[in-house]
Structures are given as structure tokens and as C-alpha cells.
Amino acid sequence: MENPGFERSEDDPPQYEETSFSSNGFRSGGVRALRSSVASAFGHDTLDRVPNADFYRNAASISGTRVIRPSLQELHQVFQKNGGLNIPSPVEDRDEADGSTLGDAESIVPLEEKQTGGVVKFGWIKGVLVRCMLNIWGVMLFIRLSWVFGQAGIGLGIVVVLLSIVVTSVTCLSMSAICTNGVVRGGGAYYLISRSLGPEFGGSIGLIFAFANAVAVAMYVVGFSETVVDILKENNALMMDPMNDIRIIGCITVVLLMSITVAGMEWEAKAQVALLVILLLAIGNVFVGTVIPSTLDKRSKGFFNYQESIAKENFLPEFRDGETFFSVFAIFFPAATGILAGANISGDLKDPQAALPKGTLLAIFITGITYLAVALVVSVTVVRDATGIHNDTLQVGSSCNFSSACNLGYDFSICQTSKCNYGLMNNFQVMTLVSGFGPLITAGTFAATLSSALASLVSAPKVFQALCKDNIYKPLKFFAKGYGKNNEPIRGYLLTFVIAVAFILIAELNTIAPVISNFFLASYALINYSCFHASYAKSPGWRPAYKYYNMWLSLFGAVLCCAVMFVINWWAALVTYGIEFFLYIYVTVKKPDVNWGSSTQAVTFMNAVNTALTLSSVDDHIKNFRPKCLVMTGSPRSRPALLDLAHSLTKNYGLCLTCEVFVGPRDKSLQDINAVVQQNQLWLQKQKRKAFYTPVASENLRDGAEALLQASGLGKMKPNTVMMGFKRDWRTTKPQEVQSYAGILHDAFDFERGTVILRINQGMDISHILEAEEEMERMIMEQQALEMEDDFQPHGFFNRAKKTSTKELTRRVSLDVPCSSDLAKMNQRLLEASSQFKKKQGKGTIDVWWLFDDGGLTLLLPHILTTRKKWKDCKLRIFIAGQPERIEQDKDEMQLLMKKFRIKCDDIQVISDLNVKPSVESWKLFQDMIEPFRLHEGSKDTTQAEALRKEYPWKITDNELETFEEKTIRQVRLNELLQESSRAAKLVVVSMPIARKGSVSDYLYMAWLDTLTKNLPPTLLIRGNHQSVLTYYS
């Protein structure tokens, strides 16, 4: 196909007028501008273009217009006319120009969105670093961190934090590799996973990740509300009861957060910065408080400033209340999550490829150092247990219990026997105690919860919108629409708001919290696995700019994330895997029409190549024989009966190639092939036919078929059986076509392929009906276009233009298409016959006339049919040739052979009168059939006979008829027997006669095949390659 044109850029030189050749199909006087780089580099006008980024853009790219380079055909053929240069006029590429990138997110952005100016984009600090830090710094920092180090001790507490950092850091390294392997669009974790592993994994994790973020909004808001209610309780200012107060405050908070996000990403970013300032002040307040001398009240509650004895005492673990290292780790780990906060708004970043690795890694480093530093300064200044009573000082003369508090003058020994309210193990407000200004810690807690809630409120709709845009879940397409200059997912915001409010009103978040944490961890695991999988596939397209990753480290990170899921909560991990598996199966079954070049495709190809190579080193065995069919269907749509029967034989277990030979001039044939290859393969997939479409171009049918016989397949996956339809028009067509058809059969025998011919009396080729339907559709479209033009004409105020239905247009058009009633009935019968193998076959028989031992293919193929669902109600009947005096003996021997082959047959019949001469009527019909093709050289003198042989070498000679008289009589007699015994069969299978090459003319051979199969139900002529395909050995 010729290329429609190229785009000029602003730095192009003046236009050059070029002469166009009308025979090329280009427009006369076509104009093209050369880029200055082309002219300067080569010094002359050339159609070739220098490398340019615009050639590699996706269709409908939002970052620029794709330009189409000259096609190979243009460069190869355009100079062959008379040395002139034929150049198409410059036009921009259209979406349909190249389907290689269809389905990508950037290909479905509406044009008006691309043209909107003033879009807000964030850099790596405000867009990634700030968001990730705010999301990682949660309430854990101020409320539970001291308890974690009280239980685990300083030593194991550091291990807990470092292990969490390892998980998130490895995930970040994997994410960095993925997001630097090409342009990153909106969708965050969903986009990264789906483009790496495909829509099945991406679609399943995208939905639960978006849902997890929506529920996380409720979790963070409830945490904020609980803190507010505690303050109200201390001041006796509750509005109702604590539970309802949490709900009221939570709903009001979500409304306020929602108003900030709907106002736009710019306002949300400003709010995040303000919250970050408060959070930094609160963290700094902790460090300042540790150096301020402790008061009597603080000492009674366990705070003694920096003390070496406290550090020594708190270094070792002291697990209480059934806690273990893993349970403490499970409580802390959710605090380390939030590393995808920047990735989730990847569509709003100026340069996601640079921002995400840098911002996320730095955020993990800063927050990790902060967690360790805050935990350490608290662990060396506060004891594990304290009473909070000022008078619990050590009495003069009393002995010390060797605790650090005792050494510092306080007696908290009562805490060993009864529950105390203060200290690392008992008081969740230790940070307030340690800080220089207590209310600032409360403000920091508010900032931590609200910032996390705000980040989740933005993340959930953004991820959900990207998922909906890809149309993986068709019912959710409604939420794909964006609004405003930033393409804000307003509908997604509203859905997230509804989900958050619903879970706030339920207020039972302790149960669902582990599931949500596991949802996040599942996405981390898949990001790590995506990086490993892409590296393992070794696809040339895997070229991440970020080099500091390792495929095995990514796999370790994936396994570690899965292990942490079970550590946090085993049943929640199982629920997560169950939901993900269900969604994976759903997407797999629905088969979304997208192609993102995932690593799954790369690994599938790699496995296929390795399996084919492994198979090539394994010797064939009879037990593993299966039909691998080369089916001469022409276009797959043209002969549906042949394709359906071949599919029944191969199903999902064998190889099926649907082959078409494009006969004619090579240039024209190659253009036709390029136009239909993908179209026909897609049609086969849509019809659920597990087959490969294989076209070739050739000067004639036989040469094309010979090329297919020799070159089709790969290694051991090469066809071993040729399937063809019977040539019904052999008596009326050109001799060259008959010779070509018979030649294909001879070639199949030469190449030792099993050969199968299907004959249906009504015929199989419905290509003329398909062409008529296409012509009808074209005429309807033209009629609709004309009526649309009429609709633009004024009709008057009261006269409305009536819309014509497609049914009415079809009726009108069909009146213009001449078609006799006989022809219509014939076409209807042809269509019914062509579709008969699509339907389930009722009760009946498959009659197998196994007359010659060909290795067993004549018996194996019908047996395979009976194992298929559509043919399972059909029983096998075996017919064999025998002598009258050995009928019972032959029947017993065949029954024994069937038993050894383990092939169940309903009946075995021995044909003993095969050598009886056919009836006079049958023989007369055969003589009439071949009469036009006889040479009759016996009635001519020698000179005339020789002249006739040279002029008509393809005709049947008298000598030939005499030589093969017995074989000819056998075919006529056999047809009589077939009509007597098998007229009611669902399918008749007959051993195919072989014509000795060079001895039997093509017309006599065709007459044998025609006579043998006429006036019968659908008939298969089968001849194996005389190598065993059946065995009775185990």
C-alpha cells in the first residue's frame, strides 16, 4: 500500500515542484517539502527521511503529531518508472494509518483535550517528593512508633524499619526501571503494571488498587476524626456519642477535602505543601523536646532526656500481650507504604520518567531516616513503664531493682504486677510527652492523616479514570470522561466520595484495614514482578534508562511482598489473591481489544521458540501422532465447511493452517496479501478457529501449493496432511486448472503427505455470495450518504426529513440487484450445506470404507471426529473388501484389529461383491462423463493420432482407458455400493484411489474421483502417507 504523505516541520526549506506519474496512483502535481537536514546531508532531493522522533509517536499522541515515513514499497518502486521522483503530498498521519499501537492510553485522548492550554504540570519535588513523604509520614509516626520500639526494642525495632524500607526500596527500583522504559501516562501503578504484564494483570490490580485508595480515604479520615473526638471527650464537648461524632466529623472532613480536590490539582498541591510545613514543624518539635530538661510531671511519666541506661534497657525486645516480631512488623509496615503517591498522578507530572525515580527514592530515604531518628530519640529518653504519679520516687535507704528508672530515682516496680498508663509500652501519646509543645504534635497528627487522605482522594479517581479509558471493564466506561484543562475525573471523584462516606458511616474499619494494606502490597508485588518479567523476557524493547535494578532483586521483592501480605494477615492475603484471581479470569475471558506489547507477549514468544526447538530434538512416535492439516481454503471465509471440518479434526490439539494462493502478477498479489493477512487472522480468532492464515503469491495455483507444502510450519510443527475441496467444475473449466488441481494431489503424494478431499454435492465455495453481500453493503452506504446530503437541503418549516432504516435501504437496493429465484434457492442451499459442520450432528453413522491400508489415517480421522462434542452421537461403521468364502473370517479379524486399536465401532461389514461389474446405466453415465475429454486416437491413422497427442496432451487416450479399465470399473461399482449402503450416513469416508504419475491422465483421475463420490452425503476421500499412525502397543 502506498503511503498517504508526510508532515512538514517549521524548519523545512522552500517547496520543490515534482512531476507525478498518474500510473503510480499519486495525485498529479504532488508537492513535498524536504527537511533541511535531508538536503544538507545528501545534497540532493530524496524521498528518504532522516531519523526523527515524530516517526515513532503513537497514533493520536497527545505530545505531538505522528508523521509517517516513506513506505518500503515507495522507496523500492517509485524510481522504476523513468527515473522521476514521485512524491505524495504532505498530510498528517491518521489513527488508522498504523494499528500497531492501538489501545494505548494516549491514543484515546479527545482532540479538544489536546488543544486545551494552561494545563497544570508538577515537577519532581511538588509532584512526587512532597506527596510521597506526606503519604509515608502517617499517624504511625506520632502514635504507634514508640509502642513498636517498646515491644521490639531498639535492636529489633531498627530491623522492623529497615525491613520495611527494603521492601519499598526494591519496589521503587523496579518501578523506576519500568517508568523509564518509555513514556509514562496517567494511571500510576495500574499503567505501569498493565503496560508491562498486559491487561489481565493490570486490569485486576487496577480495580482493587483504586478501590483500596478510596477506602483508604475513609481510614485516614476516621483516624483524624478519632483524634478530634478524643480532644472533645477530654473537654466534655461531645455532640452525641463518640461513634456518631466520628461519623459526623468524618463526613464533614471528606466534604472539605473533596472541595479542595474538585477545585483542581493546583489547589490540592497548595494544601499538601501547607500540611507538609505543619508536619515538619511537628517532627522538629519532637527533637527539640528531647533536649529540653524534663519536668517533674514528665519524669513521673517516664521521660528523662537522653540517658545511656535507658538506651541499654530498651535495646533488647520485651514482647508482651502475645505480640511477636511479625505482629509488630505487621502493625508498623503500613506506615512505610505510600510510595506510589507520586506515580498515581503520573499524568500530571512534567517529566514522569525523571521525576518518579528521583522523587520516590529520595522520599523513602528521608522518611526512613526520620522514622529511625524519631524512634531512637524516643527510645533513649523514655522508659518502657511509668506510673505517672509524682510521689513514686525511690525512698531513702530502699534497694534499687536495677532498672534505669530506679537508677534515676523513680520506683515504677508496681508496673510489673499491675497495668500502668505511661511509658513506651502503655501510652500512645509519648510523642506529645517528649515534644517541646504538645499541641503541635496534635497538629502534626491532623496533618499526617489529612495529607494521606487527600493523596488517596486524588489517587483513586486518577487510577480509576485511566483504567476506564482503556475500556477493560466496559460497564465502567462512563467514568473515563475528564473535565477541564487538567482532564479532571470529576465522576471518579464523586464515586470515591460515595465510597469513602459509606465506609465512614460503617465505621468498622479495623476489619477491612488489613485487606486494604494487602491490596497495596499486591500492587507492589506485581510492580516487582513486572520488572523481573520484562527483564526475563529479554525483549529488545526493554531498555530502561534507569540502570540501578536487578531482575533477581525484583523477583526477591515480589516474593517478599507476598510474604509480608501473609505476615500482616493471612486471611486478608487469601481474600486479596481470590479477588485478584477472579478479576484476572474475568478480563481474560472478556479479551479486551488492546495491545500494549507486554512482557507476557515476549515470554510467550520465547517459550514458543524454546518449545519448538525442544520438539525438534524429539523423534516422532506413532502414539503421539496427530493430524497437522494444511487446508487449501483460499480465503478462510470462502469455504467454511472445509475449515469447520479441519477445525473438528485439529481442534486445540493439532496444527491447522488455512492457506490461500494469490495467483497473478507478483506485485499485485503482494499488495493483496498485505491487505488481508491481519484481517483474516482476526476473523479466524473471532470465529474461534484455532488456525493460522498462511498466504503465498504465485504465478499459478500448483506452484503456490508446492511452496506451501515445502515451507509451511516450523520444525516438527509442519503439516502432515493436506485438505482440499473437490473441484466440481473440472468438466467446464480450462485444462490448465484441472492439471494444476491434479498436480497438487501428485505433489502431496510426492512429499509424502496424507491427503484428504472433501466433497459436498451442493458445493463449498461461497465467495460469490460474500462478494454480493459486500456489494450490497457498499450500495447501502452510498444510499445512506445520498440521503444524508438530502437531509441538509431545506425541507420547509413543517416538513421534516425522514430517516430511512437500514432494512428499508436493503429492500430498495435489492430491487436493483437482479437475482433469479432459482439462483437464490441454489445460494440458500449452498449456504446451508456450507454451515452444516458448525452445528451439532444428530444421531447417525460415519461410514468408513477402509479399502486400502494407508497406515491407518483413513480410520484415525473419523475416530477423532467421534471424540468431538459435535460428532459424539455418531457411530462408526467399518466397510472392508473381502471374498465371499471369507466373510466371517475377515469380519472377525477386523473386529480383533479394532479391539487392539481400542477404537469403538458400531458395525463391521465385509463387501464381497466389489468385483461385480457395474450396471449398464452407471457405466453409460461414466462414458458420457469422459467423452468430451477422450482423444479417440484408435480410430485415426498414426500421423493424425500423433498430431492429436501433441495438440491435446491432457486428453484421455484409448490405450490409457484399456490399461486402467479394471480400476475404472472398480470406481463405478464402488459408487453403486456406496449409494446402496451409505446414503443415510452423516459422513462417508472412503479410501482415495491413487493415480500412477505419468500413466493416468488428469482428466481420467478426476473422472474416477467424481464417479466415486457423486450422489452421496458429505464425503471424505482419504489417503495416508503409508506410514503407521495407529499402534496397539502401549
Side-chain angles (χ1 to χ4, degrees):
M1 291 180 66
E2 290 171 341
N3 204 313
F6 319 100
E7 184 200 43
R8 279 202 334 272
S9 65
E10 296 176 357
D11 60 346
D12 285 342
Q15 296 176 348
Y16 296 91
E17 297 292 337
E18 298 292 348
T19 304
S20 178
F21 303 98
S22 58
S23 58
N24 283 11
F26 295 126
R27 290 177 292 186
S28 180
V31 178
R32 177 180 68 96
L34 279 174
R35 295 181 63 91
S36 56
S37 54
V38 176
S40 61
F42 302 109
H44 63 89
D45 197 356
T46 175
L47 190 58
D48 254 332
R49 306 302 293 272
V50 294
N52 190 294
D54 290 338
F55 290 136
Y56 298 90
R57 296 190 188 279
N58 281 346
S61 170
I62 62 174
S63 55
T65 304
R66 184 175 68 168
V67 184
I68 36 181
R69 65 179 65 82
S71 69
L72 189 61
Q73 288 81 4
E74 287 170 350
L75 294 175
H76 189 219
Q77 296 175 1
V78 76
F79 296 100
Q80 293 179 359
K81 301 300 179 183
N82 56 6
L85 179 61
N86 185 20
I87 303 167
S89 57
V91 294
E92 292 180 357
D93 185 20
R94 301 294 176 220
D95 288 356
E96 62 270 9
D98 181 5
S100 62
T101 55
L102 292 180
D104 205 348
E106 68 171 344
S107 302
I108 54 177
V109 180
L111 187 61
E112 61 269 17
E113 292 177 14
K114 291 191 262 179
Q115 295 174 343
T116 305
V119 176
V120 177
K121 295 288 185 180
F122 302 111
W124 71 275
I125 295 178
K126 190 183 287 188
V128 182
L129 179 64
V130 171
R131 289 176 184 280
C132 288
M133 287 196 303
L134 284 172
N135 232 23
I136 297 171
W137 280 332
V139 291
M140 178 69 68
L141 182 64
F142 299 109
I143 294 178
R144 301 298 291 274
L145 186 61
S146 56
W147 177 87
V148 167
F149 271 68
Q151 291 276 357
I154 295 174
L156 286 183
I158 293 173
V159 173
V160 167
V161 176
L162 290 179
L163 184 58
S164 303
I165 293 174
V166 166
V167 174
T168 54
S169 297
V170 171
T171 304
C172 183
L173 294 176
S174 300
M175 181 193 72
S176 300
I178 296 171
C179 71
T180 58
N181 191 52
V183 177
V184 177
R185 300 298 177 194
Y190 158 72
Y191 185 91
L192 298 177
I193 294 170
S194 63
R195 269 48 176 187
S196 295
L197 291 178
E200 295 83 7
F201 283 103
S204 57
I205 201 64
L207 198 59
I208 65 174
F209 186 71
F211 176 77
N213 272 287
V215 178
V217 175
M219 290 175 56
Y220 293 131
V221 169
V222 167
F224 167 78
S225 303
E226 286 177 347
T227 307
V228 174
V229 168
D230 287 342
I231 295 172
L232 294 176
K233 196 186 296 183
E234 290 176 4
N235 295 279
N236 295 321
L238 288 175
M239 294 174 282
M240 299 173 67
D241 57 273
M243 182 62 73
N244 284 319
D245 280 13
I246 289 173
R247 290 169 177 159
I248 293 169
I249 295 169
C251 290
I252 294 171
T253 305
V254 170
V255 171
L256 293 174
L257 294 176
M258 183 71 178
S259 62
I260 294 173
T261 47
V262 172
M265 289 293 294
E266 200 170 0
W267 285 97
E268 185 267 347
K270 291 177 180 177
Q272 292 280 30
V273 171
L275 293 172
L276 177 64
V277 171
I278 296 173
L279 202 52
L280 290 173
L281 289 175
I283 293 171
N285 185 36
V286 173
F287 291 104
V288 170
T290 58
V291 296
I292 297 176
S294 59
T295 62
L296 178 63
D297 181 64
K298 288 188 175 184
R299 285 197 296 274
S300 67
K301 294 178 180 179
F303 174 61
F304 295 98
N305 295 109
Y306 292 100
Q307 301 292 335
E308 183 181 354
S309 59
I310 296 177
K312 291 179 179 178
E313 185 178 72
N314 289 344
F315 185 81
L316 297 176
E318 190 176 322
F319 295 111
R320 301 179 188 174
D321 303 324
E323 300 292 347
T324 63
F325 172 82
F326 293 108
S327 64
V328 171
F329 174 77
I331 291 171
F332 173 80
F333 183 78
T337 60
I339 61 171
L340 296 180
N344 290 336
I345 63 160
S346 53
D348 296 294
L349 300 175
K350 292 177 183 175
D351 185 5
Q353 291 176 280
L356 289 174
K358 184 163 49 176
T360 309
L361 278 172
L362 189 56
I364 292 173
F365 176 76
I366 293 173
T367 53
I369 293 297
T370 304
Y371 272 120
L372 287 173
V374 170
L376 288 173
V377 298
V378 170
S379 299
V380 299
T381 57
V382 182
V383 296
R384 279 194 169 103
D385 298 291
T387 60
I389 301 172
H390 295 181
N391 295 327
D392 279 350
T393 55
L394 194 65
Q395 300 297 323
V396 178
S398 59
S399 62
C400 188
N401 62 1
F402 302 106
S403 68
S404 57
C406 180
N407 293 332
L408 295 171
Y410 279 82
D411 183 10
F412 298 144
S413 56
I414 193 174
C415 295
Q416 296 177 359
T417 56
S418 60
K419 179 73 173 176
C420 292
N421 296 323
Y422 296 96
L424 294 177
M425 304 287 277
N426 310 305
N427 184 15
F428 290 155
Q429 301 299 326
V430 168
M431 295 300 175
T432 306
L433 175 71
V434 172
S435 67
F437 183 62
L440 196 54
I441 298 298
T442 304
T445 305
F446 288 168
T449 52
L450 292 178
S451 63
S452 297
L454 199 56
S456 297
L457 190 57
V458 170
S459 298
K462 294 282 186 182
V463 173
F464 192 57
Q465 182 188 34
L467 176 67
C468 296
K469 274 186 175 181
D470 287 337
N471 205 21
I472 291 177
Y473 301 100
K474 294 187 184 299
L476 302 179
K477 183 69 175 176
F478 172 79
F479 295 98
K481 185 173 176 58
Y483 297 87
K485 59 186 180 181
N486 263 48
N487 193 32
E488 296 290 349
I490 301 298
R491 295 173 180 177
Y493 284 142
L494 293 174
L495 179 63
T496 305
F497 174 77
V498 170
I499 293 173
V501 169
F503 278 94
I504 288 171
L505 294 177
I506 293 172
E508 288 293 334
L509 295 180
N510 288 338
T511 303
I512 201 169
V515 179
I516 301 306
S517 295
N518 274 318
F519 280 1
F520 287 123
L521 271 169
S523 64
Y524 294 174
L526 277 180
I527 287 175
N528 281 303
Y529 184 71
S530 297
C531 182
F532 164 76
H533 203 256
S535 303
Y536 172 76
K538 293 181 173 58
S539 171
W542 174 249
R543 303 184 301 274
Y546 187 84
K547 300 298 182 183
Y548 305 103
Y549 74 95
N550 179 274
M551 60 181 288
W552 300 112
L553 187 62
S554 296
L555 180 62
F556 170 74
V559 173
L560 195 58
C561 287
C562 293
V564 171
M565 289 173 68
F566 282 95
V567 167
I568 290 178
N569 193 299
W570 65 267
W571 64 262
L574 293 178
V575 168
T576 303
Y577 288 131
I579 294 173
E580 190 173 338
F581 180 73
F582 170 78
L583 293 174
Y584 179 89
I585 295 298
Y586 174 84
V587 177
T588 303
V589 170
K590 290 297 181 181
K591 290 185 175 64
D593 186 20
V594 294
N595 181 11
W596 296 319
S598 65
S599 59
T600 305
Q601 293 175 337
V603 170
T604 302
F605 174 81
M606 187 172 70
N607 290 339
V609 172
N610 290 334
T611 304
L613 290 171
T614 303
L615 194 63
S616 297
S617 63
V618 178
D619 292 334
D620 291 329
H621 195 280
I622 301 172
K623 290 193 294 184
N624 293 325
F625 175 87
R626 60 187 68 215
K628 293 173 280 191
C629 299
L630 189 152
V631 191
M632 301 295 292
T633 57
S635 171
R637 311 179 193 203
S638 300
R639 295 170 178 80
L642 187 61
L643 176 61
D644 292 337
L645 193 63
H647 176 69
S648 295
L649 291 172
T650 58
K651 201 74 173 177
N652 302 328
Y653 318 108
L655 178 68
C656 182
L657 303 180
T658 63
C659 301
E660 181 174 10
V661 179
F662 286 82
V663 178
R666 187 165 176 268
D667 291 348
K668 176 67 169 60
S669 298
L670 289 176
Q671 289 182 5
D672 292 340
I673 288 175
N674 293 334
V676 299
V677 167
Q678 188 174 12
Q679 176 185 348
N680 284 332
Q681 190 63 52
L682 289 174
W683 183 85
L684 287 169
Q685 293 174 6
K686 189 176 180 181
Q687 299 297 316
K688 297 182 179 178
R689 294 291 178 262
K690 301 297 177 65
F692 299 96
Y693 175 65
T694 311
V696 294
S698 180
E699 296 296 332
N700 59 69
L701 180 65
R702 183 177 181 180
D703 289 346
E706 185 180 359
L708 288 167
L709 284 167
Q710 293 185 80
S712 295
L714 182 69
K716 289 294 178 69
M717 293 187 296
K718 295 179 75 70
N720 54 25
T721 306
V722 179
M723 287 190 70
M724 302 172 63
F726 180 71
K727 190 171 183 61
R728 292 172 70 241
D729 63 346
W730 68 274
R731 285 185 280 179
T732 57
T733 192
K734 298 176 182 178
Q736 294 85 349
E737 293 189 13
V738 176
Q739 291 172 328
S740 183
Y741 180 86
I744 294 174
L745 297 177
H746 287 299
D747 291 340
F749 296 142
D750 286 342
F751 290 120
E752 295 189 344
R753 301 285 192 269
T755 309
V756 180
I757 296 177
L758 172 64
R759 179 171 186 178
I760 299 175
N761 282 329
Q762 296 86 347
M764 286 185 293
D765 189 358
I766 63 169
S767 55
H768 61 285
I769 299 176
L770 297 175
E771 290 173 3
E773 289 178 353
E774 290 175 1
E775 181 65 17
M776 182 82 74
E777 290 177 3
R778 186 187 64 78
M779 295 174 69
I780 289 172
M781 291 177 66
E782 289 179 357
Q783 185 74 20
Q784 286 177 332
L786 289 172
E787 296 203 356
M788 286 178 65
E789 290 180 8
D790 291 341
D791 288 344
F792 287 104
Q793 303 298 326
H795 294 278
F797 187 76
F798 295 102
N799 298 326
R800 290 187 178 179
K802 291 178 66 177
K803 287 187 177 179
T804 309
S805 66
T806 304
K807 187 175 181 180
E808 172 65 17
L809 286 171
T810 305
R811 188 189 68 80
R812 284 189 203 170
V813 171
S814 62
L815 293 176
D816 300 329
V817 180
C819 184
S820 67
S821 59
D822 291 341
L823 181 59
K825 289 178 183 177
M826 193 186 312
N827 286 341
Q828 183 61 35
R829 287 197 298 269
L830 176 58
L831 286 173
E832 290 173 0
S834 296
S835 62
Q836 62 181 310
F837 298 134
K838 284 185 170 68
K839 298 176 287 189
K840 181 177 172 58
Q841 305 296 310
K843 289 186 177 180
T845 63
I846 298 177
D847 288 358
V848 182
W849 292 68
W850 193 17
L851 305 176
F852 311 106
D853 193 322
D854 59 350
L857 190 67
T858 306
L859 181 62
L860 179 62
L861 293 186
H863 166 69
I864 290 174
L865 284 179
T866 60
T867 65
R868 308 304 189 216
K869 190 182 294 184
K870 290 177 182 176
W871 294 86
K872 67 176 184 179
D873 293 332
C874 293
K875 307 297 183 183
L876 284 184
R877 290 199 305 171
I878 310 296
F879 295 81
I880 59 172
Q883 299 174 3
E885 65 274 9
R886 284 177 49 90
I887 291 178
E888 290 301 321
Q889 186 178 350
D890 289 341
K891 186 174 181 178
D892 291 341
E893 288 177 357
M894 183 55 63
Q895 283 179 336
L896 180 61
L897 185 59
M898 291 298 103
K899 187 176 180 180
K900 286 185 174 181
F901 284 150
R902 304 169 306 283
I903 292 177
K904 187 177 180 181
C905 63
D906 196 54
D907 186 26
I908 295 176
Q909 295 187 24
V910 180
I911 307 300
S912 60
D913 53 351
L914 188 59
N915 294 324
V916 176
K917 287 190 175 183
S919 65
V920 176
E921 293 81 5
S922 297
W923 184 249
K924 178 68 168 59
L925 287 173
F926 179 79
Q927 292 289 348
D928 293 341
M929 179 189 294
I930 64 172
E931 181 60 32
F933 313 108
R934 292 188 62 180
L935 196 61
H936 289 294
E937 82 282 6
S939 60
K940 308 288 190 306
D941 58 40
T942 307
T943 306
Q944 286 181 317
E946 286 299 323
L948 283 172
R949 286 194 190 96
K950 288 182 179 179
E951 185 177 359
Y952 304 106
W954 43 268
K955 283 197 171 185
I956 305 170
T957 64
D958 295 341
N959 181 53
E960 181 185 354
L961 274 178
E962 184 180 350
T963 304
F964 295 101
E965 183 179 7
E966 287 186 7
K967 196 166 186 177
T968 303
I969 291 173
R970 188 191 309 150
Q971 312 311 320
V972 179
R973 174 58 181 160
L974 191 54
N975 179 257
E976 290 180 343
L977 294 171
L978 282 162
Q979 293 194 48
E980 288 175 12
S981 305
S982 299
R983 278 302 277 275
K986 294 291 183 182
L987 181 69
V988 179
V989 179
V990 188
S991 293
M992 183 193 302
I994 294 179
R996 194 170 291 277
K997 190 166 57 172
S999 300
V1000 179
S1001 65
D1002 295 332
Y1003 274 91
L1004 180 58
Y1005 189 33
M1006 292 302 299
W1008 287 354
L1009 300 181
D1010 195 344
T1011 300
L1012 181 60
T1013 58
K1014 70 179 181 181
N1015 300 326
L1016 291 174
T1019 304
L1020 277 180
L1021 291 171
I1022 300 178
R1023 174 65 71 158
N1025 65 355
H1026 287 247
Q1027 295 177 7
S1028 296
V1029 298
L1030 291 171
T1031 181
Y1032 42 76
Y1033 295 107
S1034 60

